[in-house]
Amino acid sequence: MLEKNDLIELAYLRLGKSIGTYGNNDDEDHYKATRALDEIIANVAVESEFRFNAVTTTLNKNSDSTGVLGDNRFNLPNDFLNVVRCEQDYRIEGEYVYSTDSEVTMMYCRKIGISEFPLYMKKYLIASLCCELSVIFGQYMDKYGIFKREIGTEKTRIINMQGLVVKEW
């Protein structure tokens, strides 16, 4: 299970920041790191390359509900972030999905907390946080390129590990 404070501590170690800094949760640097990590987690959750938070579901048509174009209306799931893929033609407007089909089967990314992230995401999250912190704390800018390359390497590793989606619906 991943925890924010552990990731922040490891990122500070990778940057070469002094050990005493991240032990104090009230520290301004810790606050900046926490905010940066929250933003990274939010961005990772909506990236369709990562499918650890993806769910496949079939939406059932709302009874007697149609859109202005005469197509069927479906409710989006409560934890919906974005569509990874969908079997039918569809469009999203507000909190509804519209399609000419009577049911819609889609894979979508759902909202999850950091504790639900799989362990194989640890290196990616640390590299991403190091990259962000090197920009926030300018004295580490010389390491920015190293962490940026590591992000790409880790992203490729994770995508390959999850398996590529090549089968069409």
Side-chain angles (χ1 to χ4, degrees):
M1 180 169 70
L2 299 177
E3 293 186 23
K4 285 184 184 181
N5 285 335
D6 292 341
L7 295 173
I8 291 169
E9 180 179 337
L10 290 168
Y12 278 150
L13 283 172
R14 297 275 317 275
L15 284 171
K17 197 161 175 66
S18 69
I19 292 174
T21 305
Y22 54 74
N24 181 1
N25 290 353
D26 296 329
D27 187 73
E28 184 179 341
D29 292 351
H30 189 274
Y31 173 76
K32 290 176 182 177
T34 302
R35 292 289 307 256
L37 184 57
D38 288 342
E39 187 66 27
I40 291 165
I41 291 167
N43 290 337
V44 166
V46 296
E47 289 188 37
S48 56
E49 293 96 345
F50 301 125
R51 292 189 312 278
F52 60 87
N53 64 332
V55 175
T56 302
T57 188
T58 299
L59 305 175
N60 294 318
K61 178 182 146 184
N62 288 352
S63 60
D64 301 326
S65 294
T66 58
V68 293
L69 301 176
D71 42 9
N72 299 314
R73 183 170 76 177
F74 307 87
N75 289 329
L76 278 174
N78 292 336
D79 57 354
F80 176 85
L81 291 174
N82 67 319
V83 175
V84 176
R85 63 184 181 174
C86 186
E87 185 174 348
Q88 294 82 11
D89 291 332
Y90 71 96
R91 76 178 190 284
I92 296 176
E93 291 181 8
E95 62 188 68
Y96 299 107
V97 175
Y98 294 93
S99 176
T100 55
D101 295 310
S102 60
E103 71 177 22
V104 173
T105 301
M106 69 167 48
M107 178 187 279
Y108 70 94
C109 290
R110 64 186 177 92
K111 296 177 188 173
I112 63 171
I114 185 68
S115 60
E116 292 183 70
F117 274 58
L119 286 176
Y120 61 78
M121 290 294 295
K122 187 175 185 175
K123 286 182 179 179
Y124 179 84
L125 292 172
I126 291 170
S128 297
L129 183 56
C130 285
C131 198
E132 289 296 315
L133 292 176
S134 66
V135 173
I136 292 170
F137 306 116
Q139 69 263 33
Y140 303 110
M141 219 33 214
D142 59 330
K143 298 179 181 182
Y144 179 83
I146 295 168
F147 296 126
K148 199 68 172 165
R149 275 192 305 279
E150 189 175 335
I151 289 170
T153 302
E154 282 301 310
K155 191 173 201 174
T156 302
R157 180 186 67 82
I158 292 165
I159 291 169
N160 289 335
M161 183 175 51
Q162 292 178 142
L164 299 173
V165 179
V166 292
K167 181 184 171 205
E168 295 294 323
W169 287 92

